[in-house]
Amino acid sequence: MAFENRRYLVIPTSITGSIDFSQVLETSADTLRLSVDETKTFVKYEVTVVEQDITETYTDLETGETQIHTTPAGIYGRPSIYSAEYQEYTHPEILALLSTEEWTIPFDESGSMA
């Protein structure tokens, strides 16, 4: 799947001032796509998906003690604007959403916007 580690978070346009653009793939509020009614937008970002816990054992060079570090399974790399109250989409899911009338003004048979 193309963009398998890319995620899209649909948010209200009222919170775009809270976006840290160093954490997402857009560069400024001017580059955000808006819904037709301009009440929603989205940001895109890359994540790392860890399918199962990863446990690493190593020796601390200063103390000689064995150390164990575990990275729990989960999704890492979400921006600070992320909240479970907003819907997160995969690439195929966002393409389907953006093709709806909420995000795209339909064209009539002559090719003009309806």
Side-chain angles (χ1 to χ4, degrees), residues 66-87:
T66 299
Q67 302 288 323
I68 298 173
H69 174 77
T70 300
T71 301
I75 298 176
Y76 296 89
R78 288 176 168 138
S80 58
I81 192 94
Y82 176 83
S83 170
E85 75 180 275
Y86 307 124
Q87 180 68 44

Side-chain angles (χ1 to χ4, degrees), residues 88-108:
E88 183 179 59
Y89 295 88
T90 62
H91 189 70
E93 292 168 338
I94 198 72
L95 291 178
L97 177 69
L98 296 178
S99 69
T100 66
E101 290 186 11
E102 181 179 17
W103 289 89
T104 303
I105 299 172
F107 287 90
D108 63 21

Side-chain angles (χ1 to χ4, degrees), residues 55-69:
T55 301
E56 301 170 305
T57 303
Y58 61 94
T59 302
D60 185 311
L61 297 177
E62 291 182 13
T63 65
E65 293 180 13
T66 299
Q67 302 288 323
I68 298 173
H69 174 77

